[in-house]
Amino acid sequence: MIRHLFKLIWNRKKSNFLLITEIFFSFMVLFAVLSFVVHNVRNYTKPLGFTHDNVWLLSMRPSSDSAALNRQNLEQVLQRLKSYPEVANISLTSNNAPFSFSITSNAMTYGQVKDVQADYYEVQDDFQELMQVPLKVGRWFGPQDDASNHEPIVINQQLQEKLFGNEPAIGKLIPITDSSSYQVIGITEYFRGAGEFASDAPAMLTRINFAKRQDKFWESLLIKVKPGIGVAFEERMVKDISGITGDWNLEVSMLEKMRKAKAKVTLVPMLGLGFVCAFLILNVALGLFGVLWYNISRRNSEIGLRRALGAAASQVYWQFIGEVLVLATFGLLLGVFFAAQFPLLEVFQVDTEVYLIALFSAVFLIYLLTAACAFYPSRQAAAVQPAVALHEE
Amino acid sequence: MIILSNIEKVYQTKTIETVALQQVNLAVPKGEFLSIMGPSGCGKSTLLNIMGLLDEPSSGTVSIGGQEIRSYKDKELAHIRNEKIGFVFQSYHLVNDLSVLDNVELPLLYRSGVSASERSKRAKIALEKVGLSARTKHFPNQLSGGQRQRVAIARALIGQPEIILADEPTGNLDSVMGEEIMNILLDLNRHDGTTIVMVTHDENMAKKTERLIRFFDGQQVSDAKVYANLQQV
Ligand SMILES: Nc1ncnc2c1ncn2[C@@H]1O[C@H](COP(=O)(O)OP(=O)(O)OP(=O)(O)O)[C@@H](O)[C@H]1O
Ligand SMILES: [Mg+2]
């Protein structure tokens, strides 16, 4: 029977070509959208590697060009903030604070492993307590690092695997220049500062040695306030700081708000694509349904004939479903061939697993869609009385 | 052997009720070649459809090969049609997307336990019988009307049915081609003992058969043995 179906389809290849093309394109669109969605959903379900309850970000843009004066003001600001009973913790950070829209990365080379790109975060000792960064192995930064000859870093598991494979990483030295190097002191499982939809990419945190780096200035400051502290305090705090800094440009944002803003950047296109895709699939389904309906009604006399020759209604029914599924298979084979190029050629930095999930789901959905579209027309076909069907010519 | 008793067929549409057949009683003995004549619309095709289990009578019973059709369950009917009956239609009814060989194979496709090679072997034999061995790979639209009808006959006989029901098998053909088809049917009847019921508009064709029944307005009006004519053939 399968052979018979193939023959029928082959002999009707001209009219089937359109259907196969349609199935092919819907598969490709579905595959692309599903890859995007699966990629993001998988990222979303991974831990961030920190918590941000009651954490605010204070951004400071000095107006003066005098580095010394700015530095002096910054020290006063830190002093002032530490004195508030409402503030639990503070930590300076590089501009790529969690959920911010900026990215800093650093190429790391260790032995044979060259130029591994890692997200690069600068933080102070209090950052761990402030953001509750869990460590898997090793320790966090502390005053003992002041005396260290190397620059201590905490890395995430991704970076550990990329640089050291299965070897233990604690204590390992990674050259920065000929005379200096990083030393791994701690490992955290995850650190995805770029937000919930960011990939679990290699990341490293370095220690801000505020006292030692007299020349440097940091514009971003994370402030953890005690529970229940709100806008009233924010206003008072900004006013106080303005008193110190004069006409610096100050801005306070809550990390929770930043998280939402950051998530929107992914969610909005995802929803948009989802809608477009749903609309497209609906169109394809309607088109497919129409074509199948038309094909089957055109073949009424063939149906009557098959019944006259001894086909049971159920055989006619399954023949039509079978034909559509074979057609879908052709479209899908073509689609899978093209879709497989994405993981094979590593077009985007997306896990192969994501592609596989998207591929299988897309195949399954297309089969489901075609079978669903074929269901009703095929049932109609099978229900036709043979004498009536033969009558129509 | 086909026995129709008290067959009635009424077509019911929303506005009109058409009585296509009424009180038809008919027995066709095994091995008989029966022809049916009558004006257009008198119910000949309807009668053939009921004999061939393509249509259900409004009342009355049909029995085929000594087996009375009690339930009109689809699977059972399909089985009987497949095993016992071969159809030849006025308009051939070939599947245009299948080659001649594949068209002829169709009845065996629905018979269990027939392998693909067996199917094609038997299809070739059937095509040989109708003189179309050279056309197995052609498609129906590449054939003449007479050739198409011969393909349809090959398809009807491939399953070696006891009965062949032919609805105006020569209606669309000129007299020479019609003659050809008629000879194939006569040959099947004489050599293989196939029971044949043929609807025709052609007196000359009808005269070649053993028995002729005339219909008028859904009723049988005459039944005659035509042995005399038979001898001339
Ligand atoms: N499906 C149907 N629905 C309603 N009426 C029908 C149907 N099929 C046939 N009829 C009616 O039944 C009657 C007999 O039709 P049938 O086709 O059996 O005639 P026929 O003797 O074969 O005619 P012809 O010689 O033209 O083929 C006709 O009046 C026809 O209109
Ligand atoms: Mg008719």
Side-chain angles (χ1 to χ4, degrees):
Chain A
M1 201 65 188
I2 292 280
R3 247 173 58 144
H4 185 71
L5 288 187
F6 272 95
K7 266 186 202 163
L8 265 177
I9 286 167
W10 176 250
N11 294 340
R12 263 194 265 268
K13 53 190 171 295
K14 265 195 206 129
S15 63
N16 285 332
F17 178 75
L18 205 73
L19 217 62
I20 292 177
T21 322
E22 198 177 31
I23 288 168
F24 165 72
F25 279 112
S26 356
F27 169 80
M28 289 313 284
V29 170
L30 201 59
F31 170 71
V33 172
L34 282 177
S35 298
F36 182 68
V37 171
V38 170
H39 175 69
N40 284 316
V41 167
R42 265 164 57 102
N43 287 338
Y44 187 84
T45 54
K46 282 176 191 162
L48 285 168
F50 57 83
T51 54
H52 61 282
D53 306 327
N54 302 315
V55 179
W56 302 353
L57 175 70
L58 171 65
S59 306
M60 302 165 282
R61 308 259 181 283
S63 52
S64 145
D65 285 339
S66 162
L69 182 65
N70 289 341
R71 171 74 192 200
Q72 204 185 325
N73 284 342
L74 180 59
E75 277 169 29
Q76 280 188 43
V77 169
L78 297 184
Q79 285 300 325
R80 186 80 192 84
L81 284 170
K82 278 179 189 157
S83 72
Y84 287 122
E86 289 90 345
V87 171
N89 249 319
I90 58 171
S91 166
L92 287 168
T93 162
S94 42
N95 283 337
N96 57 344
F99 306 125
S100 70
F101 283 89
S102 66
I103 301 168
T104 309
S105 70
N106 187 18
M108 310 277 272
T109 294
Y110 179 80
Q112 294 302 310
V113 187
K114 303 233 184 307
D115 287 328
V116 174
Q117 287 294 327
D119 291 332
Y120 174 92
Y121 302 92
E122 292 175 8
V123 297
Q124 283 190 294
D125 293 355
D126 281 350
F127 183 83
Q128 184 191 26
E129 208 185 314
L130 194 152
M131 301 294 284
Q132 290 164 32
V133 180
L135 286 190
K136 210 174 74 164
V137 206
R139 63 171 179 85
W140 186 255
F141 308 123
Q144 68 266 48
D145 293 315
D146 286 345
S148 170
N149 294 325
H150 309 293
E151 198 157 326
I153 55 171
V154 170
I155 63 175
N156 71 352
Q157 197 169 317
Q158 278 288 332
L159 184 57
Q160 182 209 344
E161 283 165 12
K162 287 253 159 67
L163 288 180
F164 310 110
N166 293 325
E167 286 175 46
I170 298 297
K172 286 263 161 60
L173 295 177
I174 304 163
I176 307 172
T177 62
D178 288 344
S179 56
S180 63
S181 45
Y182 293 119
Q183 182 165 38
V184 179
I185 63 162
I187 295 166
T188 169
E189 202 165 354
Y190 291 98
F191 196 84
R192 298 189 300 131
E196 293 151 308
F197 291 107
S199 309
D200 179 24
M204 62 185 285
L205 298 122
T206 63
R207 178 174 186 250
I208 294 175
N209 193 337
F210 190 69
K212 196 172 158 196
R213 303 296 301 273
Q214 284 296 328
D215 56 316
K216 274 208 76 173
F217 187 86
W218 285 267
E219 291 183 346
S220 300
L221 179 66
L222 291 166
I223 302 166
K224 178 156 182 151
V225 294
K226 296 194 172 141
I229 303 302
V231 189
F233 172 69
E234 183 192 330
E235 277 170 14
R236 185 154 60 87
M237 179 184 83
V238 171
K239 215 165 128 195
D240 287 355
I241 296 170
S242 296
I244 300 167
T245 61
D247 54 359
W248 281 15
N249 188 348
L250 301 176
E251 200 187 308
V252 177
S253 349
M254 317 226 158
L255 254 61
E256 176 57 18
K257 273 191 186 146
M258 291 168 67
R259 178 190 70 79
K260 282 183 183 151
K262 184 89 188 185
K264 249 188 206 162
V265 173
T266 306
L267 274 176
V268 168
M270 202 152 84
L271 280 177
L273 269 176
F275 269 118
V276 170
C277 183
F279 184 71
L280 207 94
I281 295 295
L282 186 75
N283 262 295
V284 168
L286 287 177
L288 206 65
F289 187 80
V291 170
L292 294 176
W293 183 270
Y294 172 74
N295 278 351
I296 285 172
S297 61
R298 218 178 31 133
R299 287 166 68 184
N300 244 347
S301 74
E302 178 192 330
I303 295 164
L305 173 77
R306 286 177 189 272
R307 297 286 299 280
L309 299 184
S314 59
Q315 277 173 308
V316 170
Y317 172 75
W318 284 111
Q319 180 200 327
F320 278 91
I321 300 260
E323 269 186 57
V324 175
L325 291 183
V326 171
L327 278 182
T329 306
F330 283 128
L332 288 175
L333 281 178
L334 197 68
V336 168
F337 172 78
F338 281 103
Q341 305 307 311
F342 285 87
L344 290 178
L345 303 175
E346 293 184 26
V347 183
F348 299 110
Q349 288 207 313
V350 172
D351 291 349
T352 305
E353 214 178 302
V354 169
Y355 285 128
L356 284 181
I357 294 172
L359 192 106
F360 283 114
S361 321
V363 166
F364 175 74
L365 284 175
I366 293 281
Y367 270 131
L368 200 70
L369 184 79
T370 45
C373 287
F375 173 75
Y376 190 68
S378 306
R379 251 181 49 148
Q380 286 300 102
V384 176
Q385 274 296 317
V388 175
L390 281 169
H391 207 75
E392 300 170 13
E393 180 72 323
Chain B
M1 172 95 159
I2 309 166
I3 300 171
L4 304 182
S5 25
N6 296 320
I7 294 292
E8 209 164 74
K9 179 69 185 179
V10 182
Y11 286 112
Q12 197 91 42
T13 53
K14 271 185 198 123
T15 46
I16 34 168
E17 192 185 277
T18 314
V19 181
L21 293 173
Q22 46 182 320
Q23 289 305 311
V24 175
N25 287 289
L26 177 66
V28 186
K30 193 170 159 48
E32 187 173 68
F33 196 153
L34 168 73
S35 52
I36 299 175
M37 294 193 76
S40 181
C42 70
K44 304 182 296 292
S45 296
T46 306
L47 182 74
L48 224 57
N49 284 342
I50 286 171
M51 278 187 190
L53 311 180
L54 294 178
D55 213 346
E56 197 174 334
S58 308
S59 67
T61 55
V62 180
S63 73
I64 303 241
Q67 181 186 356
E68 190 183 311
I69 311 302
R70 285 172 201 281
S71 83
Y72 276 81
K73 268 203 200 109
D74 177 67
K75 277 223 167 101
E76 290 163 23
L77 294 188
H79 186 70
I80 298 172
R81 285 199 289 263
N82 184 262
E83 296 270 338
K84 298 201 167 155
I85 303 168
F87 290 93
V88 182
F89 306 96
Q90 179 174 5
S91 47
Y92 325 129
H93 279 301
L94 300 177
V95 180
N96 285 324
D97 297 311
L98 290 176
S99 69
V100 163
L101 195 74
D102 291 329
N103 263 291
V104 175
E105 282 183 18
L106 274 177
L108 297 186
L109 194 68
Y110 298 111
R111 195 174 286 187
S112 53
V114 186
S115 69
S117 58
E118 167 95 15
R119 279 204 298 270
S120 98
K121 200 179 87 192
R122 283 173 68 175
K124 279 174 189 153
I125 293 171
L127 281 166
E128 208 166 303
K129 269 195 190 161
V130 299
L132 273 182
S133 302
R135 296 278 190 278
T136 54
K137 292 207 171 71
H138 284 60
F139 282 85
N141 55 14
Q142 298 166 324
L143 300 178
S144 72
Q147 288 170 329
R148 286 183 211 189
Q149 197 57 295
R150 282 190 278 165
V151 174
I153 291 174
R155 183 182 62 197
L157 60 85
I158 190 175
Q160 294 168 332
E162 296 165 21
I163 300 160
I164 287 184
L165 303 176
D167 196 350
E168 300 186 42
T170 61
N172 278 336
L173 308 175
D174 65 33
S175 55
V176 180
M177 288 234 188
E179 203 73 36
E180 227 179 277
I181 301 297
M182 194 61 201
N183 287 336
I184 296 170
L185 291 177
L186 283 168
D187 189 59
L188 266 176
N189 175 247
R190 287 193 198 142
H191 288 103
D192 301 349
T194 311
T195 309
I196 302 182
V197 179
M198 176 180 77
V199 169
T200 183
H201 279 295
D202 190 331
E203 292 279 354
N204 291 325
M205 301 292 172
K207 274 181 194 153
K208 292 182 183 174
T209 62
E210 297 168 55
R211 179 180 169 203
L212 169 64
I213 289 177
R214 289 183 194 273
F215 263 76
F216 191 78
D217 263 2
Q219 276 175 307
Q220 188 179 327
V221 289
S222 85
D223 187 343
K225 299 278 179 193
V226 276
Y227 288 121
N229 302 310
L230 206 63
Q231 257 102 64
Q232 296 167 10
V233 182

